Amino acid sequence: MKKETIGDSLSRVDGRLKVTGGAKYSGEYDLPGLTYGVLVPATIASGTVTAIDSKAALRAPGVLAVITPFNATKVPGYQPEASTRIKGLKLFNDNQVYFNGQPIALVVADTFERATNAASLVKATYQAQPFETNFNKNIDKGVSPQNNKDYLRGEAYAYKNAPIKVEQEYTLPSEMHNPMELHVTTAFWTGDDKITLYTKSQGVISSQRAIANAFQLDPKNVQINSRFVGGAFGSSLRTWPHEVAAVQAAKMLNRPVKLTLTREQMFTLVGYRPHTVQKVGIGATADGKIVGISHESHSQTAVYEEFTERSVNVSRFLYSSPNVNTQYKVVPLNVGVPAPMRGPGEATGSFALESALDELSYSLNMDPIELRLKNYAETDPEKNLPWSSKYLKECYQKGADSIGWSNRKAKPGTNNDGEWLVGYGIGCGAFGAYRSRSLAKIKLMPNGTVNIQSATSDIGPGTATSMVLIAADILKIPAEKIVFELGDSSFPVAPTQGGSATVSSVGSAVHDACVALKQKLNTLAGKPENSTDDIDYAKVLSQNNLPFLEITQESIANEEAKKYSMYSFSAHFAKVYVHPLTGVVKIKNVVAVVDAGKIVSYKTARSQMIGGAVGGIGMAMTEEAVFDDRFGRYVNGNFADYHVPVNADIPQIEAIFINKPDPIINPIGTKGIGEISLIGVAAAVANAVYNATGKRIRELPITPDKLI
């Protein structure tokens, strides 16, 4: 049998289950007495619900209940006296309406179709109040969040004194997560104080904690199951109010309740990348040395809950500059609260920073890569610490060679292929490399098979595949003998899958558990603990009369890591064709180069990079949530009118890995790629469009009307 090692192109270990329909997602569990919940949305953007007429709905066939603020039982964690107060929207706790589409009732019936029909029969009476949903109109009302202080290094606005400077504004509209799998929660009580949920979660432990807090339960009495997740992109990083409502309804009816969001509700109830306007000022000497950077950002949030992200932070450290000042503000509006979306604030901020840097390169008449090399940060200028590792220069070189950067023309609009204008662009990014406390349980059976358990999630990157490769490499056994189980809150603790930290965190726990298992086997075999000799696992168990050998191992970051600044870095390159008469843009090629330490699973890592690039193309070219401010409603809250990239929009995408282990962050030497695969892509495309046309697009998406 082949013995796989870290870095191999192992096919997904759960791939067969997924392609044959054997994988069960949160909406696919059928339970005895199962009922179906459908939410009723508010039709005003601000005010109060004065009455709800549910008579027609209750008379409809199969309807079991219509839960409203006027008859709902109280959720203990929503009350002022709760030991742990729940933040954000509290469904059915009062009659306040904060945004159009906010759920004001929950219809429960014996089938989904009957519940959907009955929900349309519920009528509400409101006392409407004035509301604000227009971001630009209210941008002057932005406030500085308490947890996001202004930053200053050196002199503020020093760029203004530089001989060559750029000062521009960049706009990003709201973008929606919209994974293929809708959010579904199936909840059922197994006792007065015990609840089980099948729900779409990026972190079953955090979901367990949230439900326990909401209903004031012992976390051990809350069981969360989320083995398979059909995409999330950040939309399942938290427990949403509709999940609490499903648990509440199941308690009121004493029956299992499956609550499913509609596609339109996915636009309002599970977060999104917020509408953001950024002002960047950057100045340099005539030879290209950056003198100062100023980055100010305004992004929208909800009136009932503040959401913040790090859209200005990348400007503090990505390039060497003695003077940097950043400011971040949020604009409260009558909208659903945003949430982190793949690449979060760093993706938003990099579009502005990398576009401004590109503009500066033309003002200097300097190649954009040369400008970046001129201002390369050899150490972290923000934290004044050395990098744990950084190979961004190699990213520049490999990407430039692959995209054919030498064919780029310095003067925009001068490179043609027939009737098409040709352009090249680069956009770079960085994202923190993290490692959190994790545990893993490993069990060796007499037949030589290994079972590993962790409460981590897999929202698509191939978590189980990476963990199996790590275990196979250390234990020196074939991958087919290893099973990795996840997505269950009863398994050993693991962090939420977010921030590109799963392989670094959970992978370290799996690594340490496998090392501990080998050490134990060596001891049982009478060998030195750290012996590298081959061991007959089955023989050792038999000789010691053991039916199996089980170890639970904790893994935490080492103290040495505090002495370093740890990031993944990327350089994305785009080649575009632009038709000057129609404004049509064709992306011909994308090269994504990433410095993310040791690559554990090459095939799934490559897929991650391609997926991130597709998301970046969507940000650059197609995605835009459109609001009708007269009513406070989205006008394109569906897949027909909200445009995501399709196969015809996507070119050949090449993923290149530097693949040099980071010596500090963890025993494997790996850093995250989930976010960095998207950060910088939109800027690369926008910069390529300028190189082709001489038209600078500072407000995404880049649509034909902006180019003709």
Side-chain angles (χ1 to χ4, degrees):
M1 291 186 189
K2 183 180 185 301
K3 294 182 180 180
E4 292 82 1
T5 60
I6 288 175
D8 281 357
S9 288
L10 179 67
S11 294
R12 290 176 182 258
V13 296
D14 55 4
R16 183 175 293 275
L17 276 176
K18 288 182 175 178
V19 300
T20 60
K24 291 184 73 172
Y25 294 80
S26 60
E28 298 183 305
Y29 289 87
D30 192 13
L31 303 168
L34 183 63
T35 65
Y36 300 81
V38 171
L39 294 166
V40 179
T43 56
I44 64 169
S46 180
T48 57
V49 181
T50 57
I52 292 180
D53 183 357
S54 58
K55 295 185 182 67
L58 288 168
R59 286 196 298 265
V63 174
L64 302 171
V66 178
I67 299 171
T68 75
F70 305 110
N71 65 5
T73 56
K74 295 296 184 183
V75 174
Y78 286 173
Q79 309 315 309
E81 65 273 13
S83 58
T84 305
R85 235 12 243 298
I86 306 298
K87 71 174 183 177
L89 187 65
K90 302 170 179 61
L91 290 188
F92 317 137
N93 192 56
D94 56 41
N95 64 342
Q96 289 292 127
V97 176
Y98 300 102
F99 63 93
N100 199 316
Q102 174 186 321
I104 57 169
L106 172 62
V107 176
V108 184
D110 59 0
T111 71
F112 175 72
E113 292 76 14
R114 285 175 163 177
T116 300
N117 173 64
S120 70
L121 302 177
V122 175
K123 306 300 179 186
T125 304
Y126 304 97
Q127 180 65 53
Q129 296 174 353
F131 64 91
E132 295 290 347
T133 57
N134 188 297
F135 181 82
N136 292 328
K137 179 182 172 183
N138 290 276
I139 195 168
D140 291 339
K141 299 176 184 176
V143 296
S144 298
Q146 290 184 349
N147 65 342
N148 207 311
K149 297 180 180 180
D150 294 351
Y151 173 81
L152 175 63
R153 178 169 76 244
E155 179 187 347
Y157 303 102
Y159 76 91
K160 293 184 177 182
N161 302 320
I164 309 294
K165 56 181 176 288
V166 168
E167 187 178 54
Q168 293 293 351
E169 185 173 282
Y170 304 90
T171 300
L172 185 74
S174 294
E175 298 174 356
M176 321 314 286
H177 295 103
N178 270 326
M180 287 295 289
E181 181 199 17
L182 296 170
H183 280 240
V184 183
T185 298
T186 304
F188 59 101
W189 291 80
T190 56
D192 289 340
D193 62 348
K194 293 184 179 180
I195 180 71
T196 296
L197 279 79
Y198 294 99
T199 194
K200 181 171 182 156
S201 174
Q202 290 180 237
V204 292
I205 298 300
S206 62
S207 293
Q208 180 188 54
R209 190 180 306 116
I211 295 298
N213 287 341
F215 292 91
Q216 302 292 282
L217 302 172
D218 185 335
K220 294 179 181 178
N221 289 346
V222 178
Q223 174 63 39
I224 307 292
N225 301 297
S226 190
R227 182 181 177 191
F228 294 102
V229 178
F233 314 114
S235 67
S236 297
L237 282 172
R238 62 181 289 181
T239 298
W240 293 103
H242 72 267
E243 296 176 87
V244 176
V247 177
Q248 181 183 18
K251 186 75 167 179
M252 291 176 66
L253 273 69
N254 195 29
R255 290 188 49 186
V257 173
K258 180 190 292 186
L259 193 161
T260 304
L261 298 188
T262 65
R263 179 58 63 184
E264 186 174 11
Q265 288 168 346
M266 294 283 288
F267 278 70
T268 55
L269 301 183
V270 293
Y272 53 91
R273 195 189 304 280
H275 188 159
T276 305
V277 172
Q278 304 173 82
K279 293 181 180 179
V280 176
I282 184 168
T285 58
D287 63 350
K289 193 66 177 173
I290 293 176
V291 173
I293 300 173
S294 172
H295 191 164
E296 299 175 353
S297 175
H298 283 72
S299 65
Q300 75 179 41
T301 189
V303 294
Y304 61 88
E305 182 182 351
E306 187 176 85
F307 171 78
T308 63
E309 60 181 13
R310 300 184 295 258
S311 55
V312 297
N313 291 30
V314 70
S315 293
R316 300 173 183 174
F317 64 85
L318 189 54
Y319 300 106
S320 179
S321 174
N323 305 295
V324 177
N325 64 282
T326 66
Q327 184 182 71
Y328 176 81
K329 292 185 177 182
V330 291
V331 181
L333 298 172
N334 290 102
V335 295
V337 71
M341 185 172 174
R342 192 176 189 178
E346 288 82 350
T348 301
S350 73
F351 166 65
L353 175 65
E354 292 296 289
S355 295
L357 198 70
D358 197 66
E359 297 202 46
L360 181 65
S361 73
Y362 285 95
S363 297
L364 290 163
N365 195 26
M366 180 180 288
D367 183 280
I369 296 178
E370 182 185 350
L371 177 59
R372 285 167 172 79
L373 289 170
K374 189 91 173 180
N375 297 281
Y376 193 82
E378 297 290 353
T379 59
D380 185 341
E382 178 188 11
K383 300 176 183 175
N384 197 26
L385 291 173
W387 309 109
S388 58
S389 63
K390 182 183 180 183
Y391 301 103
L392 188 53
K393 287 181 180 178
E394 292 185 33
C395 294
Y396 297 157
Q397 187 61 56
K398 289 181 180 293
D401 291 344
S402 183
I403 201 75
W405 191 260
S406 59
N407 297 319
R408 172 186 176 272
K409 298 289 182 65
K411 185 177 179 180
T414 60
N415 198 348
N416 296 76
D417 186 351
E419 62 180 351
W420 295 84
L421 297 170
V422 182
Y424 295 81
I426 179 176
C428 300
F431 193 83
Y434 305 107
R435 177 183 174 186
S436 300
R437 173 180 176 267
S438 297
L439 283 79
K441 181 164 71 175
I442 186 168
K443 188 174 184 179
L444 172 67
M445 304 304 292
N447 62 0
T449 61
V450 170
N451 177 275
I452 304 173
Q453 292 180 337
S454 167
T456 188
S457 293
D458 182 2
I459 62 173
T463 301
T465 306
S466 295
M467 300 307 151
V468 165
L469 269 173
I470 292 169
D473 184 79
I474 297 169
L475 297 175
K476 308 302 179 189
I477 62 175
E480 63 189 59
K481 285 181 167 283
I482 302 168
V483 173
F484 183 80
E485 295 183 283
L486 75 170
D488 185 318
S489 61
S490 67
F491 291 167
V493 170
T496 295
Q497 184 161 84
S500 304
T502 298
V503 174
S504 178
S505 303
V506 180
S508 294
V510 170
H511 172 280
D512 293 352
C514 290
V515 169
L517 180 69
K518 287 194 71 172
Q519 290 174 341
K520 182 66 174 178
L521 286 165
N522 279 331
T523 300
L524 291 172
K527 297 177 178 289
E529 188 179 70
N530 293 315
S531 171
T532 58
D533 294 344
D534 289 339
I535 305 174
D536 186 330
Y537 296 157
K539 184 177 180 180
V540 172
L541 292 181
S542 176
Q543 289 176 340
N544 288 272
N545 296 315
L546 293 172
F548 58 84
L549 184 59
E550 183 176 282
I551 292 174
T552 298
Q553 186 69 34
E554 179 186 45
S555 181
I556 58 175
N558 57 56
E559 288 297 311
E560 186 72 9
K562 296 179 181 178
K563 301 176 184 178
Y564 294 87
S565 186
M566 297 184 289
Y567 287 89
S568 292
F569 298 93
S570 64
H572 297 277
F573 293 79
K575 178 182 179 181
V576 305
Y577 277 33
V578 183
H579 195 277
L581 292 180
T582 63
V584 169
V585 178
K586 289 184 179 180
I587 303 176
K588 300 295 288 186
N589 194 15
V590 168
V591 177
V593 194
V594 66
D595 163 26
K598 178 69 176 175
I599 301 303
V600 171
S601 171
Y602 176 80
K603 185 179 286 189
T604 56
R606 178 177 176 273
S607 294
Q608 275 274 73
M609 293 302 297
I610 292 172
V614 171
I617 290 171
M619 176 188 282
M621 301 298 301
T622 66
E623 296 192 51
E624 180 181 16
V626 180
F627 234 76
D628 185 335
D629 293 310
R630 296 172 302 170
F631 308 105
R633 289 178 63 95
Y634 289 109
V635 298
N636 62 340
N638 54 72
F639 267 163
D641 299 313
Y642 181 87
H643 296 159
V644 296
V646 297
N647 284 345
D649 300 315
I650 303 303
Q652 177 67 33
I653 298 173
E654 183 180 2
I656 299 175
F657 302 104
I658 302 302
N659 201 20
K660 292 184 178 180
D662 185 293
I664 303 299
I665 187 169
N666 57 50
I668 309 165
T670 186
K671 299 187 288 188
I673 63 173
E675 324 294 337
I676 207 69
S677 60
L678 188 149
I679 299 168
V681 175
V685 173
N687 293 340
V689 168
Y690 177 78
N691 182 245
T693 65
K695 295 182 179 180
R696 179 69 63 178
I697 307 302
R698 302 185 182 94
E699 181 174 359
L700 297 180
I702 303 169
T703 47
D705 58 295
K706 297 173 183 176
L707 290 170
I708 56 176

